[in-house]
Structure formats: C-alpha cells, structure tokens
Amino acid sequence: MPGAREQIRSLVLSGATFDQPADELRELQLEAARETFTAHRERVPLLRTRAAETGVEEVTGLDDLVPLLFSHTSYKSYPVSLISAGRWDRLLRWYTTVSAVEPGDVDMDGVRDIDEWTDRITAAGHRPYITSGTSGKVSFLNCDASDLSFLHDILEHLTCWPDPLPAKPTRRGYLLAPASGPMRSIDGFRRHADVFAQPGEIRLLTEDAMRVSELLSSALLRRRIAEGAATPQEISSFETASESREGELGAAMAQIADDIAAHRDEPLLIAGMNNQQFTLIQALRARGVPDGSLHPDTLVLSGGGNKGRALPDDYQQQLTAFYDGVRRVRSYGMTELQGSCLACEQGNYHVPPWVIPLVLDEPGEKLLNREQGVVEGRFAFLDVSLEGRWGGLISGDRVFVDFSPCACGRPGPAVLPDIRRYGDLGGDDKITCAATLDSYVRGMIH
C-alpha cells in the first residue's frame, strides 16, 4: 500500500481533490507529516539542526511542527557578498543547507554569474525557483523532478476548479511573461499553454529569458535607494535602464492588445501577473474593447499581490469587471506552495489536501488551529508533497481560516478572502524563529 504522502498526492487525479472527509484527511495528513519529517530531516541540514535544537524527534501532533517551520526569509538568508564576490561554491553550500541537494551533485567549475549558477543546479536535476525580490533579495526555492511533475498534474487537472477545464489545446495564447526563467509563474504559464493553447499560436511579452542577475541587481538597488545609500549615478543609470525596458515592454504589450482586440471573438488564453494584466485591460479598454466582451471560453490566469502598492486599491475589482463571463482561475497562493488554495463558488480559498494549514499567532510561536470555526492569525503550513525541500514555512500573511464546513458544501479548512501582509498592517513583520534560523545558516555555511 502506498504511503500517506503518495496517497495524498494521488488525490489530484481523483476528481474529488477538495471533497475528502475532514476527519479522515486529518489522520492521513498527520501520517504524511511524519513521513515527510523523517525523510527531510536526513536530507535538509537546516531542518536536522532545527529538530536537534528544539528536541523534536518525531511528529505526534501538529504542535510538533511549529518549531520545525522555516521562516519565509530562510530562503533568502544567504549573504549577498557571496554573489558580489562570485563565491559560487559557498553560495551552493548555503543552498544545500536549506534544500534537499547534495553539494557534490552540482558542478560549479567555471561559473561566471548567478544565472550560470542557477543553470548548473537545473542541470543537476533540480529547479531553483526564485521570487520577485521586492524586499531587496530574492528567495531560492528548490524543486526536484517529482515536484515539477506533480505541479504539472495540478495545472492539468485542477485549472478552474470547481469546474475544471478539459485538457484541450484549443485557444489562441498570450503569455505576459518572458520566454523562460526560473520562476514558478513562468513555468506555470508555459505548462498551461502546453495544455490549453493551440501549438504555434502563443505570443509572448518578450522572447528574452528572464535573467536572475538583472532581477537581483534591481532588487538590491531598490533597497539601497530606499535606505538612502545609492549614489546619484546609480540612481540615474537605474532610471535610464528602467525607462528603456519599459518602452520595449510597452510596445510589446501594445501589439498583444491589438491582437487580442482583433481576435476577441475566439477562445483565448491570457496569462500574466496582476500588474501586467492590469496594464493589458487598460490598453484594451483604450481600444474600445468593453468589459465582459471576450469569448466565454477564454481562460485567464493571473496572480501576485500588490507589493509596493504599484496597483490601485480596486485593481481586483477592475480585473473582475473586465474579465466578466470568462473562465478565470481564482486562487490564493505563493511560490513556496505546490499549487494554490482554489476559490469555490462562495469565493473562499480551499486548502488542497497536500497542504496542512497551521494558523499561528503573529510572532509565529503558537498554533491556533481548531476543529471548527474561524481563526485569525499568521498563515503557516506544511506542504507534504515537496521532495526538493522541507515544505514547512511561516509566511508573512495575516489570514482568517475557517475550519468548519464551507457554505459551498465542502469540508474545510478554507482561507477567507480578507488576506493582508503583516508588513502592510502598520507593524514590523517579525517572526520569532527567523533570527535563530539565519544564525544556524550562517554557522553552517562558514
């Protein structure tokens, strides 16, 4: 009989992914948590150290998971000096401290920059997904081949849940993204295009690959500007490069908007992060395309929060109004999760069975979960599906989670729509374990 983790992963193909009886699922999840802790404690050095320091030898209940969770900052705990000094072997040592990767499996000989560094890890059978870097540093999150295969299953079988789309390549495709790059969103859009778009009918925002070095440099400079540490020359060069890049992307977006306007009576696939999606609907409205006028079999994929307040407060309402009547994925997720929490008919985000939600107090120290009712707190979780890294994480999000059955008729838990980042609520987003975890990492890589 397959183990609990494998049983949970198989639910994505069952047709009843979010309909499992709550009591039975809780028992299966706890057994899966035991399995994943046992497996990853031997493979992820930071988890092994954390378990030894906290005295957790086995998982007997969800409370045992709390001291084992990594902070969302753990995956950006590397010293920036390793990148600026080209210490790629030391950066790999950091990566293998927080990931299930053996240092000897990755060839670092002759690496010249961070893009080649990520390429070498990919060549060794892993995928180092990065985040956007709005905080000044990007996260590096390891996935292995089985993680990527499972993610593909999620995209193929759960897109537009609770009324999933059949996997038919029938749409004219528009990907508001680079041609490639180590971001989960980019890989996800490409996989969606493979499943739902006609071959040869896919248009990209840019044919260039996303370069980690450019993203990281921009993130670091934005942080230096915010701190008042950037020189006038650095700021001027950054602004010139940004204007040039924005001009190129603006021209590409205009071409996409023209093409969508000309083909809006056909089924389309439109995939992009929320900022690109908002720019696109403004361009389409300017071309006289009214809200709710796209073909009803159009599939729209979007995501990403409003970090840095780059979008108007009502951007979600505007996207909803323009894309009225089409098939649109509605979800709550993050790069650290396999798949997302998907919205039901009531607009609540149901947590997938391979994710054990752990609602914590604001410092991330105390578990607040209950069997029934709504709990407010910091969203944390253990994703038992992950093989390439430990899936236990404390996020920066303030959420309300309802553990009672949802009004849609399905069992909980479900994340309610009022989701905010603690950093946007006026306080400091400080997680108690973060400094300790960072000190572990510094000690282990030095």
Side-chain angles (χ1 to χ4, degrees):
M1 181 176 179
R5 296 175 71 198
E6 188 58 37
Q7 291 180 59
I8 287 176
R9 284 173 65 125
S10 69
L11 292 175
V12 76
L13 307 177
S14 70
T17 306
F18 293 92
D19 298 293
Q20 305 305 308
D23 291 343
E24 294 178 17
L25 182 59
R26 277 195 293 267
E27 291 182 11
L28 189 62
Q29 286 178 327
L30 184 57
E31 181 58 33
R34 294 189 186 103
E35 291 178 7
T36 193
F37 172 60
T38 299
H40 284 79
R41 179 176 53 186
E42 301 306 316
R43 302 178 65 206
V44 181
L46 181 57
L47 177 62
R48 185 166 61 246
T49 299
R50 183 67 173 167
E53 290 286 339
T54 58
V56 178
E57 297 182 357
E58 62 176 330
V59 175
T60 59
L62 298 186
D63 285 292
D64 294 328
L65 293 172
V66 177
L68 302 175
L69 300 173
F70 292 179
S71 163
H72 64 90
T73 62
S74 298
Y75 293 102
K76 58 182 73 171
S77 60
Y78 53 89
V80 176
S81 59
L82 298 183
I83 297 175
S84 57
R87 295 299 306 273
W88 308 118
D89 55 338
R90 293 286 290 278
L91 187 63
L92 177 64
R93 187 171 180 179
W94 166 80
Y95 191 69
T96 59
T97 297
V98 299
S99 309
V101 179
E102 292 296 328
D105 293 343
V106 185
D107 179 15
M108 288 285 111
D109 187 43
V111 171
R112 292 171 295 182
D113 58 27
I114 190 65
D115 294 287
E116 286 194 1
W117 182 83
T118 56
D119 287 344
R120 295 293 181 86
I121 295 173
T122 301
H126 298 271
R127 187 63 162 160
Y129 281 142
I130 66 169
T131 53
S132 59
T134 52
S135 66
K137 295 174 76 175
V138 302
S139 298
F140 291 94
L141 298 146
N142 189 64
C143 295
D144 70 7
S146 68
D147 297 329
L148 300 180
S149 176
F150 182 57
L151 181 58
H152 188 270
D153 286 342
I154 294 170
L155 300 180
E156 182 171 343
H157 294 280
L158 292 180
T159 293
C160 285
W161 180 90
D163 184 20
L165 281 174
K168 295 181 179 179
T170 57
R171 293 165 177 82
R172 188 177 182 89
Y174 305 90
L175 306 188
L176 312 180
S180 61
M183 268 190 167
R184 200 192 75 171
S185 59
I186 296 175
D187 276 1
F189 293 156
R190 294 308 300 244
R191 279 178 160 73
H192 273 108
D194 291 341
V195 174
F196 298 109
Q198 301 173 36
E201 291 292 342
I202 299 171
R203 289 144 191 83
L204 300 171
L205 186 60
T206 172
E207 296 288 345
D208 297 334
M210 189 208 70
R211 292 182 56 80
V212 183
S213 53
E214 293 178 358
L215 184 64
L216 189 57
S217 295
S218 296
L220 291 172
L221 184 55
R222 282 196 299 270
R223 185 168 70 174
R224 282 170 50 80
I225 292 172
E227 295 171 348
T231 67
Q233 183 176 0
E234 287 176 325
I235 296 173
S236 177
S237 297
F238 175 74
E239 290 176 344
T240 299
S242 296
E243 289 174 3
S244 175
R245 186 64 173 163
E246 287 175 6
E248 294 173 0
L249 295 179
M253 187 69 81
Q255 291 182 344
I256 286 177
D258 287 339
D259 202 78
I260 290 176
H263 295 274
R264 67 177 186 262
D265 294 332
E266 304 173 21
L268 309 176
L269 165 66
I270 305 174
M273 303 306 285
N274 283 329
N275 52 348
Q276 281 88 20
Q277 290 280 7
F278 187 74
T279 299
L280 176 64
I281 68 168
Q282 287 181 305
L284 289 170
R285 283 169 169 167
R287 286 161 173 75
V289 179
D291 292 3
S293 65
L294 298 184
H295 191 285
D297 285 335
T298 290
L299 170 60
V300 174
L301 311 170
S302 60
N306 193 10
K307 297 178 181 179
R309 312 302 296 175
L311 295 170
D313 291 339
D314 68 340
Y315 77 95
Q316 287 285 13
Q317 292 90 327
Q318 292 203 47
L319 291 175
T320 298
F322 185 83
Y323 289 129
D324 183 41
V326 307
R327 304 296 298 270
R328 186 176 174 217
V329 172
R330 296 179 300 141
S331 64
Y332 163 61
M334 56 195 74
T335 304
E336 292 88 346
L337 275 177
Q338 283 279 72
S340 299
C341 304
L342 298 177
C344 69
E345 299 89 342
Q346 300 295 317
N348 299 324
Y349 301 109
H350 285 251
V351 182
W354 53 89
V355 176
I356 302 174
L358 304 166
V359 185
L360 308 181
D361 61 358
E362 186 172 346
E365 297 176 327
K366 182 180 179 182
L367 182 67
L368 306 178
N369 282 27
R370 59 176 67 164
E371 290 192 5
Q372 298 286 324
V374 177
V375 180
E376 174 187 357
R378 184 182 289 273
F379 188 62
F381 56 85
L382 174 62
D383 185 333
V384 299
S385 74
L386 284 163
E387 295 286 355
R389 64 181 186 275
W390 170 239
L393 190 96
I394 305 174
S395 81
D397 291 350
R398 193 286 312 271
V399 297
F400 295 87
V401 177
D402 192 350
F403 288 90
S404 299
C406 180
C408 73
R410 299 178 183 87
V415 181
L416 304 184
D418 183 12
I419 301 166
R420 302 281 298 277
R421 295 185 68 83
Y422 275 106
D424 294 334
L425 293 174
D428 292 327
D429 181 16
K430 291 185 178 179
I431 300 172
T432 301
C433 69
T436 302
L437 290 166
D438 286 354
S439 68
Y440 289 166
V441 172
R442 286 193 296 270
M444 297 169 80
I445 65 175
H446 289 296

